[in-house]
Structure formats: structure tokens, C-alpha cells
Amino acid sequence: MVLQKYSSFKKYGLLGSLYLSQSLPFIFLGKALPVMLRQEGLSLTAIGLISLLILPITFKFLWSPLIDRYSIPALGHYRFWIIMLQSLVAIVTAGCSLINLETSLPLLLAGMLVIAIGCASQDIATDALALGLLEPQERGFGNAIQCIGVSLGSMIGGGGMLILLNHLGWQNSLLILSSLMLLALLPVLFHRESPKPPIVAPITAPLLSKRDRRSPPFQGMLDYFKIFLDFCQRPRMKVWLTILLLFNFGYVLSAYLFDLLLVDLNISLENVGWLEVLSTGTNILGSLIASGIIAQVGRQRSLRWAFSLAAFSILSYIAPALGWVQLPILVSLTVLTSLALGVVVTNAFTVMMDKSYPASAATDYAIQASFITLGSIPARVVGGLLVSGIGYIGVFLLSSAIVGLCLLLIPHSFQCHTPVDTSVASKSSRV
């Protein structure tokens, strides 16, 4: 019993550290950097275009089959990718600390693009490793741990970095960020990954060599992209992918513009940073609540409750748009919206694991995750244009309506029986 508890502690500790470390630079790109650039005087439209740096995380599914198939086995299949990519991102982050923002912005953006590609690729391997570690009945709490790791990473990479930038400046802040990424890499260095299961799922079976079903070569570009087409043809998958895309568009549209609204309302950079810290801290609470709800009422009902709370919470952003910027109001709406996000994300990640085969975990999960971020890019790019046309209040109403539409689609994304491949899951790796 004691050994089982210790094994579970190691498993969840590993997951938490991996998601924390990979989210640090990505959250910095998505949250802290735009706010800092806005304070430097860049227009909303220009900041929206800079947000295209997150394109790699959106299209990471394009190279996910390569991570599913190739590695250095002696280092562990997905463990190899995680160690290599996180080290690369930490080194480039340290290099970006030496770049002058005022005179070398294009060089900085090039470095940030490399960081984005590294984070996206590491995310593929981390999600696949997580799916292999967790049994189906562990996925609710396991994804709560995942969300806690991401929330802590968001707290440090978003609000924490804004506070550090305000007090320590650009160079020292990025060096600290780089050091934290290397420190968070320690747990995976001591993890021994079990051999990856053979690729036997229907989505990839046509690509397998008769001699070797463990390392199938790609037969051409058509066969390569058939992987993605076959995945989208799975039962109810198109509806589910539409939900992921629409929700993230609606939520990011409101949350992204809310941060910039605070700057326009002359809320100090440090106070925006503390609100980010509060937000990510409340995400942790939402994730823990969601893990309990999932176990009690099931995936579908829990997901519907989560989306209902999210649609309602987005409407609270209207208060500061009307001029209500007192600290208790800002704190209250921050708690409400971040709590809702924590509940939604934990539910969504759990369903995403259910819809993935462990043998092709990197590809299956990456496709779904890419649809999430696919919604965030147009939200950031068109956000400034929408504000110019319908104002902040109009954007928040539109965002809430989009999330409400997702709520209506949820029942159509579930089958009578969730397609969890428990026979393959039983072969998943152990800590």
C-alpha cells in the first residue's frame, strides 16, 4: 500500500513538473509579452500580429507522427524528446535575455519563434507520456494535476514575469525563467520510461511494415496525411473538434482583451501581474473541483456544467468595461472566470485522453490540442478590430454566446460508450 502511494506520488509529481516547465515560456509569450509591449506603446493590431508566434502550438499535429515513431530508445521514447526540447528552449530563452527590445525586435521575435516551436514539440511528447502513465480511471485526477502544473506555469510565466519585469528588468527576468525551466527538468531525468506500445490502432495500421510493426516507415505524403484524415473520421470526432475550436476562440477573445482593457484603464503593470497570479491560482482550485465532479457525474454532464459556468463568467468582464474598476470587483470577476476555466480545461483534457489511443498518443492528442489553439489565433488577431467595431462590451457578449453554442453541441460529441482502448492502456508505462 505504501509503495502504491509512493508510486502514485511520483507519477503525479512527474506530470505536474512537466506541464509546469513547458508552460513557463509559452505563457510568457501569450500573456506577459503582449502586456509589456502594450505598455511600450504598440497598437492592439500590432500586438495581435505578434501573437502569431503561437502558430507552432496550433499546427504541432503536423509533425506529431514523427515524435510517435522516432527517438533514441535508450533514453526512453518520449523522455528523449522532452529532455532535448526543454534544454533547447531554456538555452534560447537565456539567449533572448541579451537582446535589446528597442533596437533588435526582429531578432527577439526570431528567438521567440524558436521557443514556440520547441514548446509545441515538447508538448506533443509530454501529452503522450501522460496518456501512457494514466489508467482510464486516473485521468480525471491526472488531468487536474496537469492543469495545476499549467496553472503554476501560467502564474510564473504570466503574472510572475510581469512582476519580475517591473522590478528586475528584461535580462534578469529571462535568465530566471530559463533557470526555472532547467530546474523543472529534474524529475524526468530520474524517470524510467517503459517501452512504447506497438502501433496497432486502426488509424495507423495501414502504414505498418509486415516485418516491423513497431517502427513503421512512412510510405509517402499521402499516407502521412491520411493519419490526420482518418482520425477526424472517428465517430463524433468532427463535433468534438468543433467544440474545442469554438470554445477557445470565445474564451481567449474575452480573456485576451480583458488584460489589454486593464492597461487601457490605467491599471498598473504590477497590479495586472497580481491579478494574473490570482487567476492562475484559482485555476488550480477549479481543476481540483472538476476532478471530483467527473468521478461523481461522468464526463458529459460535468463538461456541460463547466461550459455553462464559463459562458456566465465571461459576462462578468462587462463590469470593468462599464467603468467599475474597484479592486474588489476586479478580484471577484478574476476568481469567477479563472475558476470556470480550470473546470472546463480539466474536463476537456480528460475527454481528449479518452478519445486517444495510447499507441498513437502523441498524434491523437496533438490533433485535438491543436484545434484548441487554432481557435486562439484568430481571437487574438481580430480582437483589436472587433473592439474598434463593437467595443469591449460587444466583444464580451459575443464571446459568451460562442461558448453557449458549444454547450448545445456537447451531447452530440459523445457516444453511448466512450472509446477508451483499455486493452492497450493496460500496457502503458509505469513510474
Side-chain angles (χ1 to χ4, degrees):
M1 187 68 175
V2 174
L3 291 176
Q4 184 178 4
K5 289 183 178 179
Y6 177 68
S7 178
S8 297
F9 176 79
K10 287 179 63 180
K11 176 190 297 187
Y12 295 129
L14 173 63
L15 292 179
S17 67
L18 287 176
Y19 283 104
L20 183 151
S21 59
Q22 76 173 42
S23 63
L24 285 173
F26 180 70
I27 296 299
F28 172 74
L29 290 177
K31 287 192 173 182
L33 187 61
V35 172
M36 185 188 68
L37 293 176
R38 179 60 172 171
Q39 191 182 55
E40 293 292 323
L42 266 72
S43 67
L44 289 174
T45 302
I47 294 174
L49 293 175
I50 290 175
S51 297
L52 292 175
L53 284 172
I54 67 173
L55 274 174
I57 201 74
T58 300
F59 295 104
K60 64 182 181 180
F61 70 92
L62 292 175
W63 59 90
S64 59
L66 302 177
I67 293 178
D68 257 332
R69 283 166 173 74
Y70 305 114
S71 69
I72 298 179
L75 298 178
H77 188 95
Y78 297 118
R79 178 177 177 270
F80 156 74
W81 287 107
I82 293 169
I83 294 173
M84 181 187 69
L85 291 166
Q86 187 162 323
S87 300
L88 172 65
V89 170
I91 292 171
V92 176
T93 300
C96 287
S97 70
L98 305 176
I99 297 176
N100 188 302
L101 287 175
E102 296 181 357
T103 60
S104 304
L105 184 58
L107 180 61
L108 171 65
L109 295 180
M112 293 298 174
L113 180 60
V114 173
I115 291 174
I117 294 173
C119 289
S121 302
Q122 181 189 341
D123 189 43
I124 296 171
T126 299
D127 290 335
L129 183 67
L131 197 150
L133 285 173
L134 298 172
E135 300 289 351
Q137 67 273 14
E138 297 177 317
R139 290 173 183 171
F141 185 71
N143 280 288
I145 296 297
Q146 171 183 346
C147 293
I148 289 173
V150 173
S151 296
L152 290 174
S154 181
M155 183 183 297
I156 299 171
M161 284 300 295
L162 287 174
I163 295 171
L164 286 178
L165 287 166
N166 190 58
H167 289 281
L168 301 180
W170 173 259
Q171 182 173 355
N172 291 332
S173 298
L174 260 67
L175 288 175
I176 291 175
L177 184 64
S178 176
S179 300
L180 290 174
M181 282 186 278
L182 292 176
L183 183 63
L185 190 60
L186 290 177
V188 77
L189 294 178
F190 294 100
H191 170 63
R192 296 183 62 184
E193 183 181 357
S194 297
K196 181 177 176 290
I199 300 177
V200 296
I203 183 175
T204 54
L207 302 179
L208 301 185
S209 167
K210 293 182 179 180
R211 289 186 177 181
D212 185 2
R213 300 181 69 85
R214 289 182 177 270
S215 301
F218 293 113
Q219 304 298 322
M221 292 301 294
L222 290 179
D223 283 341
Y224 188 87
F225 285 103
K226 190 175 184 295
I227 295 174
F228 312 123
L229 296 176
D230 287 347
F231 178 84
C232 294
Q233 295 302 319
R234 294 182 187 179
R236 310 296 180 97
M237 186 58 67
K238 292 179 182 177
V239 177
W240 174 242
L241 295 177
T242 300
I243 290 172
L244 294 177
L245 189 151
L246 286 178
F247 173 80
N248 209 50
F249 177 84
Y251 193 92
V252 170
L253 180 63
S254 59
Y256 171 70
L257 288 175
F258 173 68
D259 288 342
L260 301 182
L261 171 64
L262 294 180
V263 176
D264 290 346
L265 293 173
N266 296 320
I267 306 298
S268 70
L269 187 65
E270 183 168 354
N271 283 338
V272 174
W274 282 115
L275 287 175
E276 288 289 347
V277 171
L278 174 64
S279 174
T280 51
T282 313
N283 279 339
I284 296 176
L285 178 60
S287 298
L288 292 173
I289 292 174
S291 67
I293 295 176
I294 292 171
Q296 294 296 320
V297 305
R299 265 67 156 168
Q300 182 177 168
R301 184 178 297 178
S302 179
L303 195 64
R304 292 173 68 180
W305 290 356
F307 273 61
S308 299
L309 179 61
F312 174 77
S313 69
I314 290 174
L315 295 177
S316 68
Y317 284 143
I318 294 176
L322 292 173
W324 299 352
V325 293
Q326 295 83 354
L327 184 59
I329 293 177
L330 296 179
V331 168
S332 297
L333 64 88
T334 297
V335 168
L336 177 61
T337 53
S338 57
L339 184 70
L341 181 61
V343 175
V344 169
V345 169
T346 302
N347 275 274
F349 285 176
T350 302
V351 176
M352 286 164 61
M353 280 191 174
D354 291 345
K355 293 179 179 290
S356 301
Y357 292 112
S360 54
T363 301
D364 293 1
Y365 200 94
I367 293 173
Q368 298 175 75
S370 292
F371 269 80
I372 295 178
T373 52
L374 185 62
S376 68
I377 292 178
R380 293 171 181 271
V381 172
V382 307
L385 298 176
L386 286 175
V387 168
S388 300
I390 60 178
Y392 281 108
I393 295 177
V395 171
F396 297 147
L397 289 172
L398 175 62
S399 298
S400 182
I402 292 173
V403 174
L405 175 61
C406 296
L407 180 63
L408 299 177
L409 295 175
I410 288 175
H412 303 285
S413 66
F414 282 83
Q415 301 182 82
C416 295
H417 301 286
T418 304
V420 179
D421 191 351
T422 54
S423 63
V424 179
S426 64
K427 302 177 184 178
S428 58
S429 57
R430 300 287 189 271
V431 174

